[in-house]
Amino acid sequence: MNQDSENQVNARSQVSAFARVDGAKLGVLWIISFALFVGNFHYPICGIFWTATMVYTPFYVAIQTKNYANRVCEGRISYFHAYLHSMLTVFHASLILAIVQWAYFQYFDHGLVIEQYLSLLNDKDLAESYSKMGYSKDIITQMSEQLRKMRPIDLAIQLLWTNMVAGLIMSLTTALYASINRRVK
């Protein structure tokens, strides 16, 4: 086996290990972001920082994937390999965040988040906007009932899947950035 093939095999075997570490770091960022989201209900300034952390996420993943390429792949990484790293990073972060979200909804939330969404759905000032979007009062009522029925585990799983699907889509662009064949120091 030549040197390039050996490096490629080594890099692929390490992608999961690096993605776990990068996913743990991203998971911490997302936990902070989730705390800011919840804090936004009481302190509106948290909403600005929550939005900033969400906007920063794809850049963070792209930077981490490019750092992985520089450390393990000598700055050269295929698009698929970069996509795999980005996707696994988001997958691990999503799992960490889902566990924290479940614990929050189970033990600390006491219905705060659901009640905030219900108040938006039942806001008389927004009723006209909902009807313009095609939502009848019956649909709003059904949505409200479904929200009330959700258990903490249901919320956590729903958010887990949302984060994973968003991560799959986001990884398309972060992998493109990381697979550009130039070494970033």
Side-chain angles (χ1 to χ4, degrees), residues 15-35:
V15 69
S16 184
F18 276 85
R20 273 193 301 272
V21 172
D22 294 337
K25 293 175 192 175
L26 181 61
V28 170
L29 176 67
W30 281 2
I31 290 167
I32 292 167
S33 178
F34 180 67

Side-chain angles (χ1 to χ4, degrees), residues 137-153:
K137 288 184 180 183
D138 291 339
I139 292 174
I140 298 294
T141 303
Q142 288 175 357
M143 289 170 59
S144 297
E145 290 171 7
Q146 290 301 316
L147 276 172
R148 282 188 183 93
K149 290 180 186 177
M150 292 187 85
R151 301 170 301 164
I153 191 71

